[in-house]
Structures are given as C-alpha cells and as structure tokens.
Amino acid sequence: MKEEFEKRIVTGPDGKQFEVDPMKDYFCEDRPQVHQPNSNTVIEKFMNWARSESLWILGFGTGCGAIEMRPLMTPRFDAYRYGIQWRPTPRQANVFVISGYLSVKTLKRVVRSYEQMQGPKYVVGLGSCTINGGMYWDSYNTINRLDYYLPVDIYIAGCMPRPESLLAGFEQLKKMIKAGECEGQNKYAENFDWYKANQKKIIKDWDMPDYNW
Amino acid sequence: MDFKPIQILYALWSFSIILNIGLVLQGIVRKIGARVGRRYGIRFYQPYIDIVKNYSLRSSITHGVMFYLGPVFRLTGGMGVYFFTPIIYGSVYFGNFSFAGDIVLVLYFIFFGSLGMALGAGEGGHPYSAIGVGRGLAQVTAAEIPLVMAIIGVAMHYESLSVTEIVAAQQGGIMNWTLMTNPLITILGLIAFLGAMMRSPFDVVLAPQEIPIGPPTEYHSSFLGVMQTNRSVFPMAKTVLFVNIFFGGATNWAAMILKIFLLYMWPVVVGVVFPRFRVDQSIRWWYKYALPLGVVAILVTQYF
Amino acid sequence: MKELIARLKKQFKITDEVYQKPDQTYITVPQEQAVALVTHLRDYEGFNHLVLLTAVDWIEENLFQLIYLLNNNDFKADLGVRVMIDRHEATMTSIHHLWKAAATYQRELKEMFGIDFPGSPRVDEPFILEGWDNIPPYRRDFDTKKYSEETYFPRPGRTTHDPAEYMKKKLYPED
C-alpha cells in the first residue's frame, strides 16, 4: 500500500482537522452491474449497428503491437473510413486493444483503464502473446492468457500481425457486435470474483479498490 | 414582438433543420481535413453514428450535480444563441424568438456555455480537465473582447440592438451588407469568428495530443452525446448570427445554407493552413492585434 | 589502448585483460579497487560517459560479475571494467556520485539480481517489478519457466520443435 492511500489526518483551509481514508473517500466500493440488452430487439439491433460502426479505441499501447496501430491512422490504411477512431481517455473509449505482450505492471494499469470504460465495451487481443504467451510464454513477468484477466471478444493471431489483419479483425468484431455476441462487460460483471481472484494472484501490490470506476 | 405559443413549434422545427445542417457540415469538414492530409476520411454521416452510439451506451457514472449540469449548460448556451437569432428574414416560421434587444442576450449566451462547461469539468476532478478549463477560459476571455467589440460596432453602425432590424437595413443587394458599408468592422468580426469557432489555431483548449481532449476528459456516453449535439448546433448558431449581422442575412433557406457553408469554410481553411497556437501565444495575439483593431474599428464607425 | 592498460597497471591491480575489438577492451580488477579505477578513468583518462552498468551471474563459481562499461569520446573506444563480487554477500560500493544515471542501474541491479548498493538514491524502491516476493528473477537459480507455469495459467497444447529438424522436414519432406 502506497503512502498516499493510507489513512491520515488533514488540516483543512479553515483550520479544522479531519480524517481522510483515500480508499473509502476517493473511490466507490460498488461492484460492476449486469446491464441487460434492450428488450426491444429492433431498437437493440439499431443500437448495436451504431456501436459497431463507431468503434472508439482507447489510445493505450500496452506492448510492441502499439506500433501496428499507428499505421492505421495514416493515408495508407486509414481506419477512420470504417468508423474507427482513437480516443485519448478511457471514459470515451469502447474498444481496448491489448497490443501484444502484457507485463504484470501494465496489467494493473490495463485493469484500471478497462474498468473506467463505459459499456458495452470490447477487448481485442492483438498478437500471439495475448493468446498463449507467444514468445514470452516462459517469462517471469508477462501473462500467458489474457482471457483469465479480462473478457476477450476477439483475438488477432500473429507475431506481430500486419495492420491489414488488424483491420480484418475490426471488421470481424463489427460483425460480432451486430449479431449481439459481444457481451464482455456483462461476462465480467457476472464472473467478477473469478476475474478479480486471477488478477490479484499476480498483481501483488494491489493498492486500488476492487472495482475502480 | 408579441409571443405566440405556436412559435415554440416553429423554433423546434428550425432547430432540427440546423442540427442536421451542423452534423452534415461537421462530417464534410472532417472529410476535407482528411483529404488535405491525403486520407480517404470518415464517412460524411459518421457524426450521426457517433451521437447515436454515445446516447445508446448502457452505463454512465456521475461525479456530482455540476457534472450533470455542465453539458446541459453547454447545450443551453448553443440553443440560446440559436433561438434568439432570426434565421430567415421576414419568415413567420423561422424568426425564432428574436426581439428588440436580442443581440445583448445572444452575447451573454455565447459565454454562458463555456462557464457551465468549466464548472462541470471541474467537478469531474481530472487534472487534464482543470488544465483545459484554465486554458479555455483564459483564451475565451481574450477572444471575447474583439467579438463583443465587433458586435457592438455593428450595433453602433445601425444604431439598433435588434438582429432583425440590422438584417432589414442590409436588404436590397450586396452593396447594402455590412461587409460593404463598414469593411473594417467586418474584418474585426471575421477575426473574432476564428476565436469563437474553437478551431486551429485557437483550439489548444481541446488539444488532443497534449492534454487528452481537455475539459471533456471525464465525460462519456450520454453526457458526451449532449456535448456532441452542442458541437454541431453552437457553431451553426454563431455562423447564423454572423451571416445575419455582416452578410445581409437571408430570405430563404437556400441562400442561408450557402452563406453558412461559405462562412463556415473560413475558419476551416485557416485551421487547415495554420498550426495550433499555445495558449500564451494566442492570448498575446488577441491582445496585440485584435484588440487595437477593435478599438480603431469602433472609433472609425463612430466618427467617420 | 594497450598503452593505457600499461599505464593503469602501474597504479591498479589488473588481473585480466581482454582485447575484444579494436575499440572494445575489458579489464578485471579486485572489488576494493574498482571505484577508484572508475573514478581515475573518468577524471584523468577521459572516459566520461557511463554506457551501462550490468551484472552476470556466475553461479558455478559463486560469483557475480559487475561490468562498468565506459566510453571515451576522444578516441572512440569503450573500456569495460569487470569486478567479481561474492554472490552471497552481494554488496558493492555505489557510484551514483560519479554519474547520476548510475543510481537507476543500481536500482535495477538490486531488483533483478539482489546486489545491494548502500547509499544509492531510492535503491530499495521497486523499479519495474511491483510487489515481487520471490528471489530476484535474473539470478540463475530462479526457474522462470516453472514460475511462469505456476503463476500465469499456461494454455495447454503448446508444442516445441527443434528449429533445425523442423525446417528440414518442412523444406525437404522426401528425405
């Protein structure tokens, strides 16, 4: 536990002293909730169409594959024409691309960012490292299977896949969203304890609330 | 001008028209920006999809009352500017709620949105929001002075505080427009327009590369949807206002849309050509060049 | 370079010298002379750039080898100063007063090898492994494969091929 998260007595600007418990005061303790799809299938289909045609990616490169995302913004590949855009803040993003190997230290930040995103949200595992560890399968600090820590909607295999395969992966993700198959957020909420246990098993200096949104 | 309840319906109808114009124009402008960078660019109807997407997100969280009210204030600012400006001169349906002193109220509404946004973003608690708000208010304040000077100059020129009367005085051909009768104040107005449109070189408030997205850092789902709606309405409302007071207004929708399109291209062209100012550079620019020009323009309007 | 080593030999007890490349030389000195030699090289011989500070685990000899790689920009040459230290009491004098950047290397060595540098700034704080509770991972008695299999839920069905055999089968299937 870091010093800044410990209970302490603070003197306010008016001279009064009060106790601050950052874990309780600054964060919310609620667990994630399951959000059922709209019961009207026509409306839900329309919403899914809008969600699939407007994929906002969180600009967070977790590994080497972040390099493959940059060319998508350039004239050669130009992912914008498919409705794919990058957002700088997790609050506004819907797609989290885990780009390549994921070290334990990064996983902590990834979990935080993922939980701050607003649903429905989708996780794309890019590269072999997210599937079975890839060439880092026996490393002491990179995870082997991403789906033990986050609900993954689609994997793009390769080491590293070319930007074209990334585009093909996004097209496949769109099809899945339109078919209503991407309910990763609800899966995360339903199996919350299992995901948390797996995360806490490897993130040993857990100094944040269980669900930080 | 006496008020009739049916005007509310008319105003909502004209609002829906301007919303669509704004969204299409936003898409087209982003497409132009992409083509300048040799990209294919987004589909022109992408802003519609983004708005629907944001409204249809399932979860959203709040940081408090002001966080809720921020986007609402912002949209109120945009709609306020729009609803008190007459759109089509002489039209019963698209006169909105314009009245004798509407230009003062409109000026107030232009600033209102920024203040509401500042309060809301401040409650979001993200440091980048605070930086964005600080830069934004500093720059808006600096850019507001030439804007107010331009509008007051026009009011002095026509000796009226009513947009309808100002438009009426400009009817009868291009030679009667403020552009021709008082070019200096029009130049000042066009410069102030750059600052009001939040485009490059005066878009350091959002600065997606330096401070991720600025004030709306914490905003998401329907909050962001409201703000996106405003982002298409507010520039349109300001453009309509400027068309009215500098370029002779319009007597039908075709003329109005053409004039909106041409005037909207002005900040776009400037934005594509010129890179972004830092906030200290832009404030200095406003005080060094725009402010003296404003003083000169007002003096010229008054004494010549 | 050989003249330099000959000059150094008069002052320091250099036990071994390796002329790896024309611009790369390694010398070995005892632990107690290392910092003095590095300081001398920096102040009098123009080796004023610390390229890196790293370690090698000689588990069979029960030793750690520290390497201070220094660069002289005037004659474009690197000189590596090797120091053997005891593996069980892995402690070395800090050189953060010579180069500030050395503190970061020493922090990393403390975390990855468990070599202590008393007095170095922030040396006890975690560097990249947050909350590591095992033996330092770069020590050779740490089995990364076993650790990974126990910790990170390996996906079953992984097979390993010998690259030479595999490519032979792939390229010349008739043989």
Side-chain angles (χ1 to χ4, degrees):
Chain A
M1 186 82 93
K2 278 185 198 151
E3 212 175 299
E4 62 198 81
F5 290 119
E6 275 163 14
K7 272 190 198 175
R8 56 180 184 264
I9 307 286
V10 178
T11 313
D14 53 353
K16 268 187 199 162
Q17 290 201 330
F18 55 94
E19 196 188 56
V20 173
D21 183 4
M23 285 308 228
K24 279 218 171 87
D25 298 350
Y26 297 171
F27 299 100
C28 183
E29 285 182 323
D30 284 7
R31 290 161 62 90
Q33 290 163 358
V34 177
H35 296 269
Q36 289 306 334
N38 197 310
S39 52
N40 188 329
T41 46
V42 177
I43 293 176
E44 181 65 18
K45 263 199 172 153
F46 174 66
M47 284 176 164
N48 275 338
W49 171 80
R51 286 167 194 151
S52 71
E53 292 301 322
S54 160
L55 293 176
W56 287 7
I57 300 174
L58 177 61
F60 180 5
T62 60
C64 47
I67 294 291
E68 308 303 317
M69 285 209 275
R70 271 49 187 170
L72 293 184
M73 306 177 191
T74 60
R76 182 160 174 192
F77 299 105
D78 190 27
Y80 291 96
R81 65 198 148 130
Y82 302 117
I84 298 166
Q85 298 173 51
W86 280 262
R87 300 304 284 191
T89 142
R91 289 276 187 235
Q92 299 174 4
N94 308 108
V95 183
F96 202 151
V97 179
I98 306 292
S99 46
Y101 64 82
L102 194 55
S103 71
V104 176
K105 189 174 176 178
T106 317
L107 177 67
K108 195 167 147 189
R109 278 80 184 165
V110 164
V111 167
R112 265 197 99 146
S113 306
Y114 177 76
E115 288 174 353
Q116 285 182 27
M117 285 161 59
Q118 299 302 314
K121 47 194 172 186
Y122 318 107
V123 177
V124 176
L126 175 64
S128 307
C129 294
T130 53
I131 301 172
N132 61 1
M135 62 187 283
Y136 299 105
W137 65 287
D138 58 352
S139 166
Y140 59 92
N141 72 338
T142 58
I143 63 159
N144 277 357
R145 297 182 63 171
L146 180 60
D147 50 1
Y148 270 64
Y149 310 102
L150 293 176
V152 185
D153 291 296
I154 187 169
Y155 286 111
I156 303 170
C159 183
M160 283 309 289
R162 295 259 314 152
E164 289 96 329
S165 14
L166 204 52
L167 277 181
F170 284 132
E171 287 302 309
Q172 186 63 34
L173 179 68
K174 280 184 182 181
K175 275 183 207 153
M176 288 167 67
I177 297 172
K178 277 176 193 150
E181 292 166 7
C182 295
E183 294 291 344
Q185 190 194 16
N186 289 343
K187 207 173 138 196
Y188 191 71
E190 279 159 12
N191 307 316
F192 186 63
D193 294 324
W194 183 73
Y195 281 115
K196 270 301 138 182
N198 289 345
Q199 289 165 4
K200 282 190 175 173
K201 187 185 167 196
I202 60 167
I203 303 175
K204 282 166 190 148
D205 62 332
W206 188 275
D207 55 1
M208 49 189 189
D210 274 359
Y211 185 63
N212 38 141
W213 45 280
Chain B
M1 186 174 172
D2 51 334
F3 174 77
K4 293 192 241 18
I6 192 76
Q7 273 181 302
I8 295 176
L9 271 183
Y10 294 156
L12 287 178
W13 172 229
S14 86
F15 177 76
S16 69
I17 295 178
I18 208 78
L19 178 66
N20 285 302
I21 296 176
L23 284 170
V24 171
L25 214 50
Q26 211 181 355
I28 291 175
V29 164
R30 286 186 60 188
K31 189 116 184 156
I32 291 173
R35 287 295 169 91
V36 170
R38 300 276 175 98
R39 281 192 294 114
Y40 184 77
I42 57 165
R43 297 164 286 197
F44 77 91
Y45 53 91
Q46 187 72 41
Y48 284 95
I49 308 179
D50 289 346
I51 284 193
V52 172
K53 195 277 300 272
N54 272 325
Y55 281 124
S56 63
L57 284 188
R58 285 185 199 141
S59 61
S60 67
I61 58 154
T62 176
H63 294 280
V65 179
M66 275 323 290
F67 190 79
Y68 263 110
L69 291 180
V72 175
F73 280 8
R74 193 98 177 107
L75 187 60
T76 313
M79 288 169 77
V81 176
Y82 183 71
F83 279 149
F84 290 100
T85 317
I87 307 304
I88 306 296
Y89 172 67
S91 163
V92 185
Y93 305 109
F94 302 112
N96 283 348
F97 304 110
S98 83
F99 63 100
D102 50 5
I103 211 163
V104 180
L105 187 62
V106 162
L107 269 182
Y108 167 72
F109 269 123
I110 288 181
F111 206 66
F112 182 73
S114 318
L115 288 176
M117 191 60 224
L119 291 171
E123 193 159 82
H126 200 283
Y128 288 141
S129 305
I131 297 176
V133 166
R135 291 174 174 189
L137 286 184
Q139 182 174 300
V140 166
T141 314
E144 192 83 352
I145 299 169
L147 181 73
V148 171
M149 281 179 150
I151 291 179
I152 292 205
V154 173
M156 282 159 63
H157 183 78
Y158 293 105
E159 294 181 346
S160 164
L161 282 175
S162 158
V163 178
T164 313
E165 283 178 26
I166 293 175
V167 176
Q170 296 179 62
Q171 295 305 307
I174 194 169
M175 291 318 289
N176 291 343
W177 293 4
T178 320
L179 175 68
M180 291 298 168
T181 55
N182 194 341
L184 200 56
I185 210 85
T186 310
I187 291 171
L188 178 69
L190 285 177
I191 288 174
F193 191 56
L194 291 181
M197 290 301 270
M198 290 283 170
R199 285 196 164 275
S200 175
F202 302 110
D203 63 343
V204 80
V205 182
L206 293 177
Q209 284 85 19
E210 302 146 34
I211 42 167
I213 218 85
T217 306
E218 278 289 306
Y219 280 104
H220 53 270
S221 52
S222 26
F223 299 115
L224 193 64
V226 171
M227 283 164 62
Q228 280 183 314
T229 314
N230 176 63
R231 203 164 289 172
S232 66
V233 173
F234 196 26
M236 280 306 109
K238 281 187 274 202
T239 316
V240 167
L241 177 69
F242 271 69
V243 165
N244 274 334
I245 64 176
F246 291 115
F247 300 98
T251 48
N252 55 53
W253 272 107
M256 195 62 188
I257 290 174
L258 183 68
K259 282 180 179 176
I260 287 180
F261 182 77
L262 291 176
L263 185 56
Y264 196 77
M265 279 305 125
W266 156 244
V268 171
V269 169
V270 173
V272 166
V273 175
F274 289 99
R276 178 188 298 149
F277 271 147
R278 284 203 317 262
V279 70
D280 54 329
Q281 290 169 329
S282 81
I283 289 175
R284 206 162 285 153
W285 191 87
W286 285 113
Y287 284 139
K288 217 169 173 176
Y289 300 107
L291 190 62
L293 180 68
V295 174
V296 171
I298 287 208
L299 289 178
V300 167
T301 312
Q302 181 66 16
Y303 294 109
F304 295 96
Chain C
M1 191 53 82
K2 281 192 177 160
E3 304 151 32
L4 172 73
I5 307 289
R7 240 184 299 140
L8 290 176
K9 268 189 179 168
K10 288 176 191 163
Q11 284 186 46
F12 299 97
K13 200 178 148 200
I14 294 173
T15 52
D16 184 31
E17 54 209 88
V18 182
Y19 299 96
Q20 191 97 13
K21 290 181 201 164
D23 59 348
Q24 205 175 42
T25 316
Y26 291 97
I27 52 176
T28 310
V29 287
Q31 188 178 357
E32 59 275 8
Q33 288 197 352
V35 176
L37 173 62
V38 169
T39 315
H40 177 83
L41 285 169
R42 186 187 78 142
D43 292 345
Y44 298 105
E45 303 291 351
F47 286 87
N48 49 15
H49 173 52
L50 176 72
V51 181
L52 54 86
L53 166 56
T54 186
V56 181
D57 186 1
W58 297 95
I59 191 167
E60 293 84 0
E61 279 99 58
N62 209 3
L63 289 171
F64 276 130
Q65 181 188 46
L66 283 176
I67 299 157
Y68 299 84
L69 193 62
L70 309 175
N71 178 269
N72 186 333
N73 202 31
D74 289 336
F75 37 92
K76 310 256 182 282
D78 286 341
L79 180 61
V81 178
R82 290 172 172 168
V83 189
M84 306 303 256
I85 60 174
D86 185 45
R87 205 167 170 279
H88 288 300
E89 283 170 39
T91 309
M92 181 66 196
T93 320
S94 168
I95 57 157
H96 68 272
H97 59 289
L98 301 177
W99 290 278
K100 274 189 182 165
T104 311
Y105 286 118
Q106 291 170 358
R107 229 173 118 192
E108 188 186 14
L109 288 175
K110 164 94 196 212
E111 183 167 275
M112 292 305 193
F113 286 95
I115 303 172
D116 197 9
F117 295 86
S120 182
R122 303 174 68 193
V123 74
D124 291 324
E125 287 175 36
F127 183 54
I128 45 175
L129 307 172
E130 292 177 337
W132 186 260
D133 55 1
N134 216 311
I135 56 173
Y138 278 11
R139 291 199 176 204
R140 272 171 61 205
D141 46 1
F142 174 75
D143 189 347
T144 62
K145 187 166 173 246
K146 188 160 151 273
Y147 180 81
S148 174
E149 276 167 4
E150 281 168 3
T151 317
Y152 297 123
F153 313 107
R155 190 182 287 271
R158 190 179 182 103
T159 52
T160 309
H161 301 282
D162 175 44
E165 289 294 316
Y166 184 73
M167 285 316 286
K168 214 160 127 191
K169 225 188 270 170
K170 203 110 185 149
L171 291 172
Y172 314 105
E174 309 84 67
D175 294 359

